[in-house]
Amino acid sequence: MIRYELPPSRSVDHTDIETVLGPDGRADPHLDPKLDSALVVKIYEAMLRTRVLDDRMLALQRQGRVSFHVGCKGEEAAIIASAAALRTEDWIFPCYRELGALLWRGFPLQRYVDNMYGNADDVVQGRQMPDHVTGKQWAYASVSSPIGTQIMHAVGFGWAAKLKRQKLATAVYFGDGATSTPDFHTGLNFAGVYKTPTIFLCRNNRWAISVPSDKQTASASFAAKGAAYGVRSVRVDGNDALATYRAVREAVERSHEGPTLLELVTYRLGGHSTSDDPKAYRLQEEVDLQSKGDPLTRLRRHLELLGAWNELQERRFVSQLDSEIKQCVEIAEKKPAPELRSMFDGVYAERPWHLDEQYELTKRGPRPGKE
Amino acid sequence: MIRYELPPSRSVDHTDIETVLGPDGRADPHLDPKLDSALVVKIYEAMLRTRVLDDRMLALQRQGRVSFHVGCKGEEAAIIASAAALRTEDWIFPCYRELGALLWRGFPLQRYVDNMYGNADDVVQGRQMPDHVTGKQWAYASVSSPIGTQIMHAVGFGWAAKLKRQKLATAVYFGDGATSTPDFHTGLNFAGVYKTPTIFLCRNNRWAISVPSDKQTASASFAAKGAAYGVRSVRVDGNDALATYRAVREAVERSHEGPTLLELVTYRLGGHSTSDDPKAYRLQEEVDLQSKGDPLTRLRRHLELLGAWNELQERRFVSQLDSEIKQCVEIAEKKPAPELRSMFDGVYAERPWHLDEQYELTKRGPRPGKE
Amino acid sequence: MPEMTMVQAINDALRISMRDDERVVLLGEDVGKVGGVFRVTAGLQDEFGAERVIDTPLAEGGIVGASIGMAMYGLRPVPEIQFADFIYPAFDQIVSEAAKYRYRSGGEFGIPMVIRTPFGGGIRGGHYHSQSPESLFIHVAGLKVVCPSNPYDAKGLLLSAIRDEDPVLFFEPKRVYRAAKMDVPEGDYAVPLSKAKVVREGAHVTVLAWGAMLYEAVAAAEEVAPKVDVEVIDLRTLWPVDIDTIVASVKKTGRVVVVHEAPRTCGFGAELVSLVCEKAFLHLEAPPVRVTGHDTPFPYTLENDYLPLAHRIVPALLETAAY
Amino acid sequence: MPEMTMVQAINDALRISMRDDERVVLLGEDVGKVGGVFRVTAGLQDEFGAERVIDTPLAEGGIVGASIGMAMYGLRPVPEIQFADFIYPAFDQIVSEAAKYRYRSGGEFGIPMVIRTPFGGGIRGGHYHSQSPESLFIHVAGLKVVCPSNPYDAKGLLLSAIRDEDPVLFFEPKRVYRAAKMDVPEGDYAVPLSKAKVVREGAHVTVLAWGAMLYEAVAAAEEVAPKVDVEVIDLRTLWPVDIDTIVASVKKTGRVVVVHEAPRTCGFGAELVSLVCEKAFLHLEAPPVRVTGHDTPFPYTLENDYLPLAHRIVPALLETAAY
Ligand SMILES: Cc1ncc(C[n+]2csc(CCOP(=O)(O)OP(=O)(O)O)c2C)c(N)n1
Ligand SMILES: Cc1ncc(C[n+]2csc(CCOP(=O)(O)OP(=O)(O)O)c2C)c(N)n1
Ligand SMILES: [Mg+2]
Ligand SMILES: [Mg+2]
């Protein structure tokens, strides 16, 4: 097991971390999950795709064309390799950074871009902020903003499946900051007591907006918290796609025995969201240092060693993706806003009298001008 | 270190437990806190006093003279020896079973009985249920019913003292069930990060109403939970007054370094409260077995060995206490109910217009008949 | 027809639902082995097993949060909150998640779930075993709020609530739990949600009430009967409320008194007064009146001065009628 | 006199309080090093140190719960909840503990604490960065609720709130945060709690509003000015509300419109309508009207159809005036 050295300044590490990919791009032969190289390429492409998308959404936000974006730059391995290790029947309960996991499962890009614009074709009908999607068909729950709340849902869903003797696991993503919430505590505790088939994926990206992870807890690590609930836990190099895949796969395979908590140690290379300027609270040197551990670079080095990826492929992939994005954006921007009635529908399965009244009154107008 | 054997059925133990008093009443010479025997007698008397009081309040409740009582039968060592190990400047944040700790600090018995009756002299003016007292003068916070909420207060209070460079510790009592609440999680986490001078006293009395402690968590023990927060923790025989004293004293002495979590392993010999009938969910055999570890018996055996206590003293103490209780009850029963205005006062520092109105209207009457 | 207390009627509704529908599961603190601190779930773990009648750790947010996940899976969870006073640790899961899940997921996921909880005063419970927090939930879009006043309705409303597609808060007036028995049909039947019931017809004043206070309203109505002819409406479902029944009655009587245990300010009474003003202003012959709990925490010793019992409703009826 | 935005005015009030009173401490998520996500606490950690301007772990219940303990010790904590939408994890500590502590301890402990939180819509925040939950807290006895509409009031009200002996919820309309500058006196001054302000005098209709919607109310009043003479009252403190100013105005105009962003049902508007009916019924020439947010979660794309902006207030004013 190769130790991947994290910079000591912000480190909460006092426990080992599971790493497969060495700095030279070689996989530790003892830990290598020995994936088909086509699969690894697919994972790499998905990571790259997310990276490019983040960049383009950021640009659109800066141009004032979308109002907000929350990306996952630096956390692509933690998100995509974990999703890749799940089975189709396993459910994902996302935080807000796991779009890559949803796209991995086949969510169409146009559908995503429509959500960014909150237009009439947005799956959530423009009701939520950008990047707050849902994908039931892809076994992907609804993104919401409150930190941690999805953890209990993943536990309850997996618990229900277990009661119904259905074999599936639920994977729930959350950040290091989320470990301080009530739902983390309750989720791990219920999962431990009822041995639910839940995989807790703690993306320790070292920051909760401006709060560094060593101010979030005095625990030796986030993985160490599992013991408080009798929950098996592993600390994994979350910038290492192979290590992440391997650990999640194992958790999936053991999910019928009960839950696993995985701390995926990674780093948020970008701002918290487009609303955030991290220069106000962290040093560029830290970011530069962490950029050296960029999960894309590490996996690409590995693929290049295997002869499975090269610069030409990379460029071709990006340019094709770019035209795809461009097209989706053009389409999305032409679509109208959701209809007024969409605001009053769906609060309940059937619209009750008071919402009928409110709808009728609002429809009668006057309606607001463009601000 | 003598291992005190807990019955395996309900046991969540997989870690050692700190014990001083052996089954023969002898103190382990290496761990004996070597207290002045007068102090130990005082602790024993306070434990006995609580035991008798519980019994008498239960009887009053059965006679319909008080409406409710929540006692601590079986947990007297955990409660009183811990309180005895605190310094006067240390603050207590109670759950609802720690009346003994308050009496230890000098809270007058009449004041307690007035609270049981919710009469005009009740310190909380008949506003709360019986056994929900307050004792600011004795550095004792307000008892409330919601489980766990006091934990954060103890952390905040100790944190404030630390900011003000005042040396004091806060001791917070709660049950095994309370470890599942958000406040336990948040309290331990904040205390760990800010190194607050907080002593977390988890009375593991093995039951949360009808839920046994091994259904409360899959953790190897409650003490084991401290590690999740970087908080020092110790598992103590809470039926052993000397072990409890010793562990709390150590936590007090180390409180300037930061918090300690103590799991005081004990047993709730009685019902949860007068509203509860434990026969519905636990076997009499378990209670009988646990009665053998009765903390009073264990400490009394020790005192008798030392020649510091005997049957005569015991009887004299009880009969004197009995007449004291009887007198307090007689007085309390003669006192009137709180005045109507007490219901409208004290919601805010000054009574606002709407409560003036509500008071005036209610005063005008009609008032309710006796039901 | 057997006679049942409300406790028995609710137990019966749960049993019927669970026999009828494999998806129904119960969970909460002490609901399993001991059958709940009020014995509402007594015997159900014996019949349906510990997997469907689940004793949970002490965490209301966990109980509701897990129920949401279960509902997403396709179950019909019926979580119990031991006392409504302890619902606040679950507030975030109820308000931020259960209430909004259907809407914010574009209808992909509904959360059919009934949160049962004993509420209300009159059992010497002081601050934390007496509260009536219904208006907090009525304010939150996406929730339904139900409150039966008698065994028959309790059973029928609960059966309807469990079959409803949306999250329902089901407030059980614990003062009524064992106070009276009533004929309750065996087997399945429904009392529909959002239908109020005129329990006493009258021409002069309309009283709107629910839960335990319904009896006080009726008692007060009887007391003033020689002078004032009072119509008493049991709302049964608080939200979405049966506005038609209310408006029809107020248009007839021109006078309205709302009675509730919860503190007055921003209680549901305020909403009812506003609705009546909006929909029947020109029919009002007197200002709508609220007889409610006071704006204080719920007291122990003086609880009968706190509650809007008949002795406080009577003068309100007389004054309103004479206005 | 310097010109300040509301963000600057609140920052100034915090600075003055902290210089003036050693007991004042700030705590919350991201309030320290980065000075808050809206930069309201910018520069304060530099001046007062990390012990008095504290970045906390991500737990609102912890922030408020610790503040209660600090207040019991004798400090004057000013916790920040990053968005009002995230206050629910702290709901139990606010409702069960802070609100009741003085009362239930027989007055032994007060909890002087100001919970600051940005609230309201209009910044494209969707469900969870737009909510206006004020009525939930107004319903809870023992809390005070304040909401400034402009920089001057924000500073003066916050200074008063921090010096108040009871827990105060201080809702800051984030739509107004940087929307406008205003002359704000340097140094210390107070805007008293529970005093409303008539911001526009008028004879025909009274409008009650607060926070960001005040501007919409004023805009609507100007728009109808040729036909209807509207009096606009900025409540400033929502609870305990300045009932005298309200009643005096309604007795004068005989007509009242309440405007708020929060969902209509059981919003504070319902309470205001009820109070007006109770205290000025015979003066009413038209039913009180509510122009409010809808009973849906707060939407993203259509937020201007959700909010009770001037375009929706205008017809309400005209109809009320013509009633
Ligand atoms: C309950 C709650 N409190 C506060 C916020 C505001 N907020 C949004 S993201 C965030 C930090 C989250 O950090 P972390 O859990 O580490 O996730 P990351 O963003 O780093 O992926 C905060 C405080 C929120 N969304 N929900
Ligand atoms: C938040 C909350 N939920 C539920 C209850 C009801 N209740 C009262 S005591 C209790 C069990 C507490 O168990 P534990 O923490 O072990 O303390 P013990 O009574 O055993 O001392 C419960 C569930 C409550 N008071 N507060
Ligand atoms: Mg993070
Ligand atoms: Mg216990």
Side-chain angles (χ1 to χ4, degrees):
Chain A
M1 185 145 48
I2 298 161
R3 256 185 91 87
Y4 173 65
E5 280 297 323
L6 294 155
S9 65
R10 295 291 172 209
S11 172
V12 290
D13 318 353
H14 299 280
T15 61
D16 248 11
I17 185 161
E18 225 174 79
T19 295
V20 173
L21 275 177
D24 55 357
R26 256 173 245 285
D28 179 330
H30 302 297
L31 296 174
D32 188 352
K34 304 208 169 62
L35 306 180
D36 194 278
S37 82
L39 175 60
V40 184
V41 167
K42 215 179 139 213
I43 291 173
Y44 177 74
E45 285 179 346
M47 288 167 57
L48 182 56
R49 192 172 183 217
T50 311
R51 174 72 55 95
V52 172
L53 254 179
D54 270 341
D55 186 68
R56 303 307 180 262
M57 290 302 131
L58 187 66
L60 287 173
Q61 194 274 340
R62 295 296 184 240
Q63 294 161 28
R65 290 162 71 187
V66 303
S67 71
F68 172 85
H69 176 58
V70 50
C72 71
K73 189 173 174 191
E75 304 177 51
E76 292 88 350
I79 290 165
I80 306 223
S82 54
L86 299 174
R87 303 160 302 190
T88 352
E89 63 267 32
D90 299 329
W91 272 72
I92 293 179
F93 289 78
C95 171
Y96 41 65
R97 285 195 205 285
E98 293 82 11
L99 171 72
L102 181 55
L103 295 175
W104 171 268
R105 291 192 156 196
F107 192 81
L109 192 62
Q110 184 66 54
R111 208 170 168 94
Y112 169 61
V113 178
D114 285 340
N115 172 266
M116 292 303 295
Y117 281 87
N119 63 29
D121 278 355
D122 174 15
V123 52
V124 305
Q125 300 176 41
R127 290 171 181 158
Q128 288 212 77
M129 284 175 73
D131 280 312
H132 287 62
V133 288
T134 306
K136 186 173 191 178
Q137 189 184 333
W138 297 273
Y140 193 89
S142 157
V143 176
S144 79
S145 317
I147 295 295
T149 44
Q150 76 279 15
I151 299 175
M152 274 315 310
H153 308 166
V155 173
F157 194 104
W159 191 358
K162 183 177 167 173
L163 296 182
K164 289 293 170 197
R165 310 282 180 266
Q166 191 189 349
K167 290 249 172 319
L168 60 72
T170 53
V172 55
Y173 291 91
F174 52 89
D176 44 302
T179 62
S180 296
T181 65
D183 297 274
F184 172 82
H185 183 58
T186 316
L188 271 284
N189 196 39
F190 276 55
V193 172
Y194 288 98
K195 307 266 167 287
T196 67
T198 316
I199 304 167
F200 298 93
L201 298 167
C202 176
R203 288 184 290 90
N204 174 9
N205 65 6
R206 326 299 284 283
W207 291 94
I209 308 186
S210 77
V211 178
S213 52
D214 59 352
K215 287 262 188 74
Q216 200 63 245
T217 184
S219 174
S221 70
F222 291 97
K225 290 177 180 282
Y229 311 98
V231 170
R232 168 180 178 269
S233 27
V234 186
R235 192 147 189 273
V236 184
D237 184 344
N239 284 347
D240 174 340
L242 299 187
T244 300
Y245 188 98
R246 185 180 176 282
V248 174
R249 194 76 216 181
E250 193 187 345
V252 168
E253 274 151 22
R254 297 176 64 160
S255 60
H256 63 281
E257 297 164 23
T260 298
L261 166 62
L262 294 178
E263 176 183 352
L264 305 172
V265 182
T266 176
Y267 190 81
R268 197 194 77 208
L269 286 174
H272 170 74
S273 72
T274 51
S275 314
D276 178 48
D277 176 12
K279 288 201 196 71
Y281 54 82
R282 72 181 184 188
L283 295 174
Q284 190 52 40
E285 289 82 67
E286 177 182 312
V287 182
D288 293 342
L289 184 64
Q290 288 285 353
S291 297
K292 296 194 182 126
D294 187 327
L296 270 84
T297 321
R298 285 177 69 194
L299 190 58
R300 180 169 165 184
R301 203 173 294 148
H302 177 67
L303 284 175
E304 286 173 349
L305 263 185
L306 298 182
W309 192 257
N310 60 35
E311 181 59 27
L312 184 64
Q313 279 170 291
E314 176 113 357
R315 262 186 285 144
R316 213 180 275 151
F317 182 86
V318 172
S319 88
Q320 196 181 317
L321 175 59
D322 252 333
S323 51
E324 203 190 337
I325 296 172
K326 211 175 142 215
Q327 199 193 337
C328 290
V329 167
E330 269 170 27
I331 293 173
E333 290 188 341
K334 284 202 199 97
K335 290 183 181 173
E339 277 187 62
L340 184 64
R341 63 175 307 144
S342 76
M343 185 161 71
F344 299 91
D345 283 342
V347 181
Y348 301 91
E350 284 172 45
R351 199 168 70 196
W353 66 266
H354 65 292
L355 286 167
D356 286 344
E357 284 187 5
Q358 292 174 26
Y359 170 51
E360 293 302 332
L361 188 70
T362 312
K363 195 172 65 176
R364 211 164 66 207
R367 298 278 303 274
K370 290 251 180 275
E371 284 201 85
Chain B
M1 184 143 50
I2 298 161
R3 256 184 91 86
Y4 172 63
E5 279 299 324
L6 293 157
S9 65
R10 296 292 173 208
S11 173
V12 292
D13 319 354
H14 299 280
T15 61
D16 248 10
I17 186 161
E18 225 174 78
T19 296
V20 173
L21 274 178
D24 55 356
R26 257 172 244 285
D28 179 330
H30 302 297
L31 295 175
D32 188 353
K34 303 207 170 64
L35 306 181
D36 193 278
S37 82
L39 175 60
V40 183
V41 168
K42 216 179 138 211
I43 291 173
Y44 177 75
E45 286 180 346
M47 288 167 56
L48 181 57
R49 192 173 183 215
T50 312
R51 174 71 56 95
V52 172
L53 254 179
D54 271 342
D55 186 67
R56 302 309 179 261
M57 290 302 133
L58 186 67
L60 287 173
Q61 196 275 338
R62 295 297 183 238
Q63 294 162 28
R65 290 161 72 188
V66 304
S67 71
F68 172 85
H69 175 59
V70 50
C72 72
K73 188 172 174 191
E75 304 178 51
E76 292 88 349
I79 291 164
I80 308 233
S82 55
L86 299 174
R87 302 162 301 191
T88 352
E89 64 267 33
D90 300 328
W91 272 72
I92 292 178
F93 290 77
C95 171
Y96 41 65
R97 285 194 206 286
E98 293 82 11
L99 170 72
L102 180 56
L103 294 176
W104 171 267
R105 290 191 157 197
F107 191 81
L109 192 62
Q110 184 66 56
R111 210 171 165 94
Y112 168 62
V113 178
D114 285 340
N115 172 266
M116 292 302 295
Y117 281 87
N119 64 28
D121 277 357
D122 174 15
V123 52
V124 305
Q125 300 177 42
R127 290 171 181 159
Q128 288 212 76
M129 284 174 75
D131 279 312
H132 286 63
V133 289
T134 307
K136 187 173 192 179
Q137 189 183 331
W138 298 273
Y140 194 90
S142 156
V143 176
S144 79
S145 318
I147 295 295
T149 45
Q150 76 279 15
I151 299 176
M152 274 315 311
H153 308 165
V155 172
F157 194 105
W159 190 358
K162 183 177 169 176
L163 296 181
K164 290 295 171 194
R165 310 282 179 264
Q166 191 188 348
K167 290 250 172 320
L168 59 74
T170 53
V172 56
Y173 291 91
F174 52 88
D176 44 300
T179 62
S180 296
T181 65
D183 298 273
F184 172 82
H185 182 58
T186 316
L188 271 283
N189 196 39
F190 276 54
V193 172
Y194 288 99
K195 306 266 166 289
T196 66
T198 315
I199 304 168
F200 297 92
L201 298 167
C202 175
R203 287 184 290 90
N204 174 9
N205 64 7
R206 326 300 283 285
W207 292 93
I209 309 186
S210 76
V211 179
S213 51
D214 60 353
K215 285 264 187 72
Q216 200 61 245
T217 183
S219 175
S221 70
F222 292 98
K225 290 177 179 280
Y229 312 98
V231 169
R232 169 181 177 268
S233 27
V234 186
R235 191 145 190 274
V236 184
D237 184 344
N239 285 347
D240 174 341
L242 298 186
T244 301
Y245 188 99
R246 185 181 176 281
V248 174
R249 193 76 215 181
E250 193 187 345
V252 168
E253 273 151 22
R254 297 175 65 161
S255 60
H256 63 280
E257 298 163 23
T260 297
L261 166 63
L262 295 177
E263 176 183 351
L264 305 173
V265 182
T266 175
Y267 189 82
R268 197 194 77 208
L269 286 174
H272 170 74
S273 72
T274 49
S275 315
D276 178 47
D277 176 11
K279 288 201 197 74
Y281 53 81
R282 72 181 183 188
L283 296 174
Q284 189 53 39
E285 289 81 69
E286 177 181 313
V287 182
D288 293 342
L289 185 64
Q290 288 286 351
S291 298
K292 297 195 182 125
D294 187 327
L296 269 84
T297 320
R298 286 177 69 193
L299 191 58
R300 181 170 163 184
R301 203 172 295 149
H302 177 69
L303 284 175
E304 286 174 350
L305 263 185
L306 298 182
W309 191 256
N310 60 36
E311 182 59 25
L312 184 64
Q313 278 171 291
E314 177 112 357
R315 261 187 285 145
R316 211 180 275 150
F317 182 87
V318 171
S319 89
Q320 195 180 317
L321 175 59
D322 252 332
S323 52
E324 203 190 337
I325 296 172
K326 210 175 143 214
Q327 198 191 338
C328 289
V329 167
E330 269 170 27
I331 292 173
E333 291 188 341
K334 285 203 199 93
K335 291 182 180 174
E339 276 187 64
L340 185 64
R341 63 176 304 144
S342 76
M343 185 161 71
F344 299 93
D345 284 341
V347 182
Y348 301 91
E350 284 173 43
R351 199 170 70 197
W353 66 267
H354 66 292
L355 286 168
D356 286 346
E357 284 187 5
Q358 292 173 25
Y359 170 50
E360 293 301 333
L361 188 70
T362 313
K363 196 173 63 176
R364 212 163 64 209
R367 297 278 303 273
K370 290 251 181 275
E371 285 202 84
Chain C
M1 241 188 315
E3 285 211 316
M4 294 188 194
T5 62
M6 185 182 281
V7 164
Q8 291 166 328
I10 294 173
N11 182 279
D12 197 36
L14 293 171
R15 191 182 304 271
I16 290 171
S17 302
M18 293 186 80
R19 285 185 185 162
D20 173 55
D21 186 346
E22 282 280 323
R23 299 170 305 172
V24 177
V25 296
L26 315 187
L27 63 165
E29 295 153 13
D30 307 293
V31 300
K33 191 149 184 201
V34 69
V37 298
F38 290 102
R39 302 297 185 273
V40 173
T41 53
L44 298 177
Q45 195 179 67
D46 286 342
E47 178 169 350
F48 301 102
E51 287 202 335
R52 288 183 71 196
V53 184
I54 307 166
D55 279 320
T56 67
L58 207 167
E60 287 75 13
I63 294 165
V64 173
S67 297
I68 293 173
M70 289 174 166
M72 290 175 71
Y73 177 82
L75 301 189
R76 300 253 152 176
V78 185
E80 173 181 296
I81 302 296
Q82 197 163 93
F83 287 85
D85 317 62
F86 303 133
I87 204 165
Y88 307 117
F91 206 73
D92 191 37
Q93 282 289 349
I94 298 171
V95 170
S96 302
E97 297 292 326
K100 298 179 175 52
Y101 217 108
R102 176 188 297 283
Y103 191 79
R104 78 161 196 239
S105 69
E108 291 201 341
F109 300 92
I111 309 292
M113 159 174 84
V114 180
I115 303 177
R116 290 184 40 249
T117 187
F119 89 113
I123 62 153
R124 311 214 69 188
H127 284 26
Y128 299 108
H129 298 81
S130 307
Q131 295 173 34
S132 298
E134 64 270 14
S135 80
L136 302 178
F137 300 98
I138 297 172
H139 184 51
V140 176
L143 302 175
K144 297 187 176 181
V145 181
V146 173
C147 177
S149 69
N150 63 59
Y152 176 90
D153 284 351
K155 179 174 169 184
L157 286 167
L158 184 53
L159 282 163
S160 296
I162 292 173
R163 288 155 186 170
D164 197 82
E165 296 300 323
D166 289 304
V168 177
L169 276 287
F170 195 85
F171 287 101
E172 302 172 0
K174 54 186 178 291
R175 200 167 119 120
V176 180
Y177 261 166
R178 299 172 187 281
K181 290 207 167 200
M182 182 179 181
D183 284 344
V184 172
E186 285 182 277
D188 212 329
Y189 66 93
V191 172
L193 303 190
S194 292
K195 291 278 170 242
K197 190 174 162 199
V198 179
V199 297
R200 186 184 194 285
E201 291 197 23
H204 299 149
V205 184
T206 300
V207 180
L208 306 177
W210 55 92
M213 290 307 103
L214 186 78
Y215 300 91
E216 300 295 324
V218 170
E222 296 300 335
E223 194 173 328
V224 301
K227 289 183 247 169
V228 186
D229 187 20
V230 177
E231 177 144 310
V232 181
I233 299 180
D234 180 356
L235 294 184
R236 304 200 294 192
T237 293
L238 305 189
W239 202 254
V241 76
D242 179 357
I243 190 69
D244 296 337
T245 300
I246 295 172
V247 170
S249 176
V250 175
K251 285 191 174 161
K252 177 175 70 172
T253 62
R255 296 176 155 88
V256 62
V257 173
V258 188
V259 180
H260 63 66
E261 296 187 36
R264 177 186 196 78
T265 300
C266 279
F268 187 43
E271 180 60 35
L272 291 168
V273 168
S274 300
L275 286 172
V276 164
C277 287
E278 282 157 9
K279 301 195 176 288
F281 190 70
L282 291 182
H283 296 80
L284 286 177
E285 290 169 43
V289 173
R290 296 182 284 173
V291 185
T292 69
H294 303 301
D295 286 315
T296 74
F298 199 103
Y300 170 72
T301 305
L302 298 177
E303 73 171 326
N304 286 334
D305 277 298
Y306 181 91
L307 289 167
L309 302 181
H311 70 272
R312 284 175 57 206
I313 303 171
V314 165
L317 293 174
L318 296 175
E319 280 169 41
T320 302
Y323 192 88
Chain D
M1 240 188 317
E3 285 209 317
M4 294 188 193
T5 62
M6 185 181 281
V7 164
Q8 291 166 329
I10 295 173
N11 182 279
D12 197 38
L14 292 170
R15 190 182 305 271
I16 289 169
S17 301
M18 294 186 80
R19 284 185 185 160
D20 173 54
D21 186 346
E22 282 279 324
R23 298 171 304 171
V24 178
V25 297
L26 315 187
L27 62 165
E29 295 153 14
D30 306 293
V31 300
K33 189 148 187 200
V34 69
V37 298
F38 290 103
R39 302 296 185 274
V40 173
T41 53
L44 298 178
Q45 193 179 69
D46 286 342
E47 178 168 347
F48 301 103
E51 287 202 335
R52 287 183 71 197
V53 184
I54 307 166
D55 279 320
T56 67
L58 206 166
E60 287 75 13
I63 294 166
V64 172
S67 296
I68 293 173
M70 289 175 166
M72 290 175 71
Y73 178 82
L75 301 188
R76 299 255 151 175
V78 185
E80 174 182 295
I81 301 296
Q82 197 164 91
F83 287 86
D85 316 61
F86 304 133
I87 203 164
Y88 307 117
F91 205 72
D92 191 38
Q93 282 289 348
I94 298 171
V95 169
S96 302
E97 297 292 325
K100 299 178 175 51
Y101 218 107
R102 176 188 298 285
Y103 191 78
R104 77 163 197 237
S105 69
E108 290 201 342
F109 300 92
I111 309 292
M113 158 173 85
V114 181
I115 302 177
R116 290 185 39 250
T117 187
F119 89 114
I123 61 153
R124 312 214 68 190
H127 285 24
Y128 299 108
H129 298 80
S130 308
Q131 294 172 35
S132 298
E134 64 270 14
S135 80
L136 302 179
F137 300 97
I138 296 172
H139 183 52
V140 176
L143 302 175
K144 296 187 175 181
V145 180
V146 173
C147 176
S149 69
N150 64 58
Y152 176 89
D153 283 351
K155 179 173 170 183
L157 286 167
L158 184 53
L159 283 162
S160 296
I162 292 173
R163 287 156 187 167
D164 197 82
E165 295 301 323
D166 288 305
V168 178
L169 275 288
F170 196 85
F171 286 101
E172 302 171 0
K174 51 186 179 295
R175 200 168 122 119
V176 180
Y177 261 166
R178 297 172 189 282
K181 290 206 168 204
M182 182 179 181
D183 284 345
V184 172
E186 284 183 278
D188 213 327
Y189 66 94
V191 172
L193 301 190
S194 291
K195 291 277 170 243
K197 191 175 163 199
V198 178
V199 296
R200 185 181 195 285
E201 291 198 23
H204 300 149
V205 184
T206 300
V207 180
L208 306 177
W210 55 92
M213 289 308 102
L214 185 79
Y215 300 91
E216 300 295 324
V218 171
E222 297 300 336
E223 195 174 326
V224 301
K227 289 182 245 165
V228 186
D229 187 20
V230 178
E231 176 143 310
V232 181
I233 299 179
D234 181 355
L235 294 183
R236 303 201 293 192
T237 294
L238 306 188
W239 202 256
V241 76
D242 179 356
I243 190 71
D244 295 338
T245 300
I246 295 171
V247 171
S249 176
V250 174
K251 284 191 174 163
K252 178 175 72 175
T253 62
R255 295 176 157 89
V256 62
V257 173
V258 187
V259 180
H260 63 66
E261 296 187 34
R264 178 186 195 78
T265 300
C266 279
F268 187 42
E271 180 60 35
L272 292 168
V273 167
S274 300
L275 286 171
V276 164
C277 287
E278 282 157 8
K279 299 192 176 293
F281 190 71
L282 291 183
H283 296 82
L284 286 178
E285 290 169 45
V289 174
R290 296 183 284 172
V291 185
T292 69
H294 304 302
D295 285 315
T296 75
F298 200 102
Y300 170 71
T301 305
L302 299 178
E303 74 172 326
N304 287 333
D305 276 298
Y306 181 90
L307 289 167
L309 303 181
H311 71 271
R312 284 175 56 205
I313 304 172
V314 165
L317 292 174
L318 296 175
E319 281 169 39
T320 302
Y323 193 88

